[in-house]
Amino acid sequence: MLQDAIVASPKTPSTTNHLLLRLARKEREAFLADCEPVDLEFGQTLCEPDDAYGFAWFPQTGFISLMVPLTGHPPLEVGLIGNEGMLGATLVLGIDQVPMRAVVQGTGTALRIPVAALKRHVASDPKLERVLNRYLYVLLAQLSQTAACTRFHEIGERLARWLLMTHDRAQADHFHLTHQFLADMLGVQRSAITIAAGLLKDKRLIRYSRGEITVLSRRGLEAASCECYAAVMADYAQLMG
Amino acid sequence: MLQDAIVASPKTPSTTNHLLLRLARKEREAFLADCEPVDLEFGQTLCEPDDAYGFAWFPQTGFISLMVPLTGHPPLEVGLIGNEGMLGATLVLGIDQVPMRAVVQGTGTALRIPVAALKRHVASDPKLERVLNRYLYVLLAQLSQTAACTRFHEIGERLARWLLMTHDRAQADHFHLTHQFLADMLGVQRSAITIAAGLLKDKRLIRYSRGEITVLSRRGLEAASCECYAAVMADYAQLMG
DNA sequence: GGCGCTTTGTTGCCTTGCGAACAGAATCAT
DNA sequence: ATGATTCTGTTCGCAAGGCAACAAAGCGCC
């Protein structure tokens, strides 16, 4: 999978990022020529709130969490970005920063493009602008949905939703996540995750051991998750196609 | 105050909306010529999630809540729009809808402009585009902050924050809000509001009786509120101010 | 003045989930 | 092997806030 992303002839670099795949061939190639493949390493912080961006990132196989830090509390995850999206969507607004912290959450690769180059491409390719605009809208929808979800839905439902989102972005049935890590993402106690995960395990929806989680039944997880998973997917499908 | 908004010579209509006040005089006049003053009535629903917009609204003295409905739960408020902002910021992305419900929450007036006219002005006035882009960014910041706030902060802090936000937008020390209404906004029990409001009353920060709330000490409310009030204000000031 | 509606005050029970602590199991380094 | 570390399972007490019910007070309407 990593191969798909970076092994390509110099003339026609390819990508697995869904946003970039929407561009016309010619513009995509021009865009990719300005990109640089980089490794995303688990735990790496790509930016802090109000940091100026130097680059935008288009994940290929890795994925990135958007987190809101509050003093005196663990940071809360409010968005997840994989190869269906990008980090830096607000650049299309002409604002070179983001109000959140971005942390690599799944090791893998991404394409990185300097802000100036991105802006140049946006100015010259209406289709690119359109794609980024739409993605920004989806991000907005995701944020608002997540706000309500975090308030009202129970840990088990939220865990199932989160596993599904990760499953989509990991592009594999199997990924590394400890209970502690999940607790941090959802903003809950570690022991609450152990209990909720234990229930999912009992229902044979997932298997796990020492941080290695395997999804056994997507369908089951979808039934166990709150409506928010489907809602966000529907928004994405409606706008991005 | 209502007078400011709608009494103006036909040649130079004026506005109290901060976004529109940022436009150059000539463009503002052209913009206002396409606007229609409308009354916002408490409780009125301006749009539902995924509705197509017919208009964008620029509040002058009224204000509007953005709410996320979840099945089986009361809808949760995630954003508040007064004369510092607008309803329909996503139009600048070329998307004629919003992922949330918009409900009038403070009776007053707004300027309403048809979507097509707004787009025409955005295309011809880079300053307008810039203002709307920046406002959209602020909205994004507000959403993410609110998501974390709703998760972690206590009812008393959130109530104080919410009263401050309303105070700013009501442009008066006095407004109509029952405990039940506050409970719906914050997504909590009515009796929890009675208790939290009782504490603020004991501290002489507010006074209230049968839905009529008076702010006695902004400073005190700021101290009683969580960091989120200041954070959102700072974002707004940094980008718009 | 009396009736009824709305708003606020208060109480008690219950659930969820937090905080903290500890035990066992798997993995890793030496 | 053996000890250290990391991860998972489990427990207990506790606090915040949900849920429900009801009392009292203010206000408007006849």
Side-chain angles (χ1 to χ4, degrees):
Chain A
M1 191 155 307
L2 192 140
Q3 306 297 339
D4 293 349
I6 59 178
V7 173
S9 84
K11 295 200 170 184
T12 59
S14 76
T15 179
T16 59
N17 184 279
H18 293 4
L19 297 184
L20 300 182
L21 286 173
R22 303 192 149 274
L23 304 186
R25 182 190 167 93
K26 193 176 146 210
E27 282 78 11
R28 180 165 71 240
E29 288 178 5
F31 190 96
L32 292 173
D34 283 329
C35 288
E36 174 192 7
V38 292
D39 288 332
L40 299 179
E41 280 174 40
F42 178 81
Q44 188 184 356
T45 298
L46 298 178
C47 59
E48 287 288 337
D50 303 338
D51 269 10
Y53 280 125
F55 302 88
W57 283 263
F58 293 83
Q60 310 238 62
T61 61
F63 47 104
I64 299 166
S65 281
L66 295 176
M67 323 205 48
V68 179
L70 290 184
T71 60
H73 297 274
L76 179 71
E77 194 206 50
V78 293
L80 197 49
I81 300 170
N83 74 352
E84 89 297 343
M86 68 176 291
L87 172 61
T90 50
L91 288 165
V92 79
L93 298 176
I95 295 164
D96 298 7
Q97 61 185 52
V98 75
M100 289 163 267
R101 176 181 296 170
V103 181
V104 174
Q105 210 245 90
T107 299
T109 61
L111 295 176
R112 190 176 83 167
I113 187 169
V115 163
L118 176 69
K119 288 185 174 178
R120 208 171 57 238
H121 287 285
V122 167
S124 70
D125 181 2
K127 191 149 190 179
L128 174 60
E129 185 182 19
R130 179 185 147 96
V131 166
L132 300 195
N133 277 339
R134 296 192 150 232
Y135 178 65
L136 184 55
Y137 179 91
V138 170
L139 201 59
L140 198 79
Q142 190 181 347
L143 278 178
S144 57
Q145 188 78 33
T146 300
C149 179
T150 303
R151 172 69 189 81
F152 288 118
H153 291 150
E154 294 182 3
I155 292 180
E157 299 176 300
R158 291 176 57 212
L159 174 61
R161 177 187 170 205
W162 203 90
L163 290 173
L164 286 169
M165 295 196 306
T166 303
H167 188 219
D168 295 336
R169 287 160 182 80
Q171 304 160 59
D173 288 343
H174 186 261
F175 34 88
H176 184 84
L177 289 173
T178 65
H179 289 184
Q180 182 61 60
F181 182 81
L182 286 163
D184 292 341
M185 289 298 112
L186 299 184
V188 301
Q189 286 280 112
R190 197 270 309 162
S191 56
I193 293 290
T194 298
I195 292 168
L199 293 177
L200 295 180
K201 188 192 220 174
D202 292 346
K203 288 197 244 171
R204 319 275 169 192
L205 306 184
I206 59 174
R207 185 162 7 109
Y208 61 87
S209 161
R210 299 189 66 71
E212 298 302 316
I213 294 198
T214 306
V215 171
L216 298 178
S217 165
R218 265 196 73 84
R219 195 168 290 267
L221 283 180
E222 283 164 13
S225 76
C226 51
E227 67 192 284
C228 301
Y229 177 73
V232 170
M233 289 297 271
D235 277 329
Y236 189 86
Q238 188 217 329
L239 276 121
M240 310 298 296
Chain B
M1 192 156 309
L2 191 142
Q3 306 299 338
D4 293 350
I6 58 177
V7 173
S9 84
K11 295 198 170 184
T12 57
S14 75
T15 180
T16 59
N17 183 280
H18 294 4
L19 297 184
L20 299 182
L21 286 173
R22 303 192 150 273
L23 305 186
R25 181 189 167 94
K26 192 177 146 211
E27 283 77 11
R28 179 164 71 240
E29 289 178 5
F31 190 96
L32 292 173
D34 283 329
C35 288
E36 174 192 5
V38 292
D39 288 332
L40 299 179
E41 278 174 40
F42 178 80
Q44 188 183 359
T45 299
L46 298 178
C47 59
E48 288 288 335
D50 303 337
D51 270 8
Y53 280 127
F55 302 88
W57 283 264
F58 293 82
Q60 309 238 61
T61 61
F63 48 104
I64 299 166
S65 281
L66 295 176
M67 323 206 48
V68 180
L70 290 185
T71 61
H73 296 275
L76 179 70
E77 194 206 51
V78 295
L80 198 49
I81 300 171
N83 73 352
E84 89 297 342
M86 69 176 290
L87 172 61
T90 51
L91 288 165
V92 79
L93 298 176
I95 294 163
D96 298 6
Q97 62 185 53
V98 74
M100 288 163 270
R101 175 181 298 170
V103 181
V104 174
Q105 208 246 92
T107 298
T109 61
L111 294 176
R112 192 175 84 167
I113 187 170
V115 163
L118 176 70
K119 288 186 174 175
R120 209 171 56 237
H121 286 286
V122 167
S124 70
D125 181 2
K127 191 148 190 180
L128 174 61
E129 185 182 21
R130 179 185 148 98
V131 166
L132 300 194
N133 277 339
R134 296 194 149 231
Y135 179 66
L136 184 55
Y137 179 91
V138 170
L139 201 59
L140 197 82
Q142 189 182 346
L143 278 178
S144 57
Q145 187 79 34
T146 300
C149 179
T150 302
R151 171 70 189 82
F152 287 119
H153 290 149
E154 295 182 1
I155 292 180
E157 299 176 301
R158 291 175 57 211
L159 174 61
R161 176 187 170 206
W162 202 92
L163 290 173
L164 286 168
M165 295 196 306
T166 302
H167 188 218
D168 294 337
R169 287 161 182 81
Q171 305 161 58
D173 288 343
H174 186 261
F175 33 89
H176 184 84
L177 288 175
T178 65
H179 289 185
Q180 183 60 60
F181 182 82
L182 286 162
D184 291 341
M185 289 300 111
L186 299 185
V188 301
Q189 285 283 114
R190 196 271 310 163
S191 57
I193 293 291
T194 298
I195 292 167
L199 293 177
L200 295 180
K201 187 192 219 172
D202 292 347
K203 288 198 243 168
R204 317 275 168 191
L205 306 184
I206 58 173
R207 181 159 15 103
Y208 61 88
S209 161
R210 298 188 67 70
E212 299 300 316
I213 295 199
T214 305
V215 172
L216 298 178
S217 165
R218 266 196 73 85
R219 195 170 290 270
L221 283 181
E222 284 165 12
S225 77
C226 51
E227 67 192 287
C228 300
Y229 177 72
V232 169
M233 288 297 270
D235 277 329
Y236 189 86
Q238 189 216 329
L239 277 121
M240 312 295 299

